[in-house]
Amino acid sequence: MTTQNVTIPALSGGSFSAYLATPSTQPDAGIVLIQEILGVNTNMRQIADDYAKSGYLVLVPDLYWRLEPGVQLDADDKDQWTKGFELLQAFDVNSGVEDLKASLSFLRQYPSSTGKVGSVGFCLGGKLAYFMATRTDSDANVSYYGVDIDKNLAEATKIQKPLILHLGENDEFVSPTAQASIQQGMKDNPLVTIYRYEGVSHGFNRVGSSAYRQEAAELARDRTLAFLKQHLGSGVKSLCSN
């Protein structure tokens, strides 16, 4: 497994950086890994490395590049968490989706790619992974504790490829009412699978943070890997050993 920073042309002009983790196996299915409000930080790079060790070509685009390139924040630092929310308020979702489309194209055209590419996103990225399902032709999508999905359920009719939603029962940013709306809005869509994790809050997959809950994170990861293997294919050989 190797890592590097790459530059991707934006569809609207300009370019942005992305962290690319490349597995030692080929050919590879791809994953666009979508950041939380904290930027492309240590946690996001570690997740990318872990998926690469499982045989995926993983790209983490810097979606804040129009606001402040290279943001890397710590969820357990109050000031940095506050800055993350400030960036979120200034972030243009539609431009972010366009950057994800460019990222999708980058991975599909990458020399070792099978052409199959999905997305996995967290928090803000979980919302954007939902939009990857509704607004792009990404082959499979996984949303961890995506925010504001309940406010965008009108788009659910546009889902054409499989989608997983991982929800934490006690998510302070996705209320019980919001979760009920999501489940009601998606219940008749055979492409959507919703998992709820009892007793966990927002960020339960964020290793090294106070929100991390190992049992729920490992169960969600196993489900995600099985889902990606099913829908992206590829020569992934080491899923059971990671």
Side-chain angles (χ1 to χ4, degrees), residues 47-111:
I47 294 171
D49 293 353
D50 288 345
Y51 278 117
K53 290 172 184 174
S54 292
Y56 290 96
L57 183 68
V58 189
L59 185 75
V60 194
D62 178 6
L63 299 182
Y64 283 160
W65 67 279
R66 293 179 179 85
L67 301 171
E68 181 180 337
V71 170
Q72 300 184 48
L73 303 175
D74 181 350
D76 286 334
D77 183 309
K78 183 178 179 180
D79 290 340
Q80 293 188 33
W81 184 251
T82 298
K83 180 176 179 178
F85 272 102
E86 291 172 353
L87 288 165
L88 175 64
Q89 294 302 315
F91 178 71
D92 182 77
V93 168
N94 293 325
S95 295
V97 172
E98 292 302 298
D99 292 340
L100 292 172
K101 289 179 180 177
S103 299
L104 193 66
S105 178
F106 176 92
L107 283 183
R108 283 186 170 148
Q109 297 171 19
Y110 201 77

Side-chain angles (χ1 to χ4, degrees), residues 112-123:
S112 64
S113 174
T114 63
K116 288 280 191 179
V117 180
S119 74
V120 179
F122 305 84
C123 179

Side-chain angles (χ1 to χ4, degrees), residues 169-226:
E169 180 186 31
N170 298 333
D171 193 321
E172 59 270 39
F173 301 113
V174 187
S175 70
T177 301
Q179 293 190 32
S181 295
I182 292 167
Q183 291 179 304
Q184 179 65 26
M186 303 281 194
K187 66 182 177 66
D188 295 325
N189 192 328
L191 292 171
V192 181
T193 302
I194 299 175
Y195 296 111
R196 288 182 83 235
Y197 299 84
E198 293 184 2
V200 303
S201 60
H202 195 81
F204 69 83
N205 190 77
R206 193 188 303 124
V207 176
S209 77
S210 57
Y212 179 65
R213 295 295 180 269
Q214 182 176 356
E215 184 177 355
E218 290 181 351
L219 178 57
R221 185 173 187 271
D222 288 345
R223 287 168 167 169
T224 297
L225 284 171

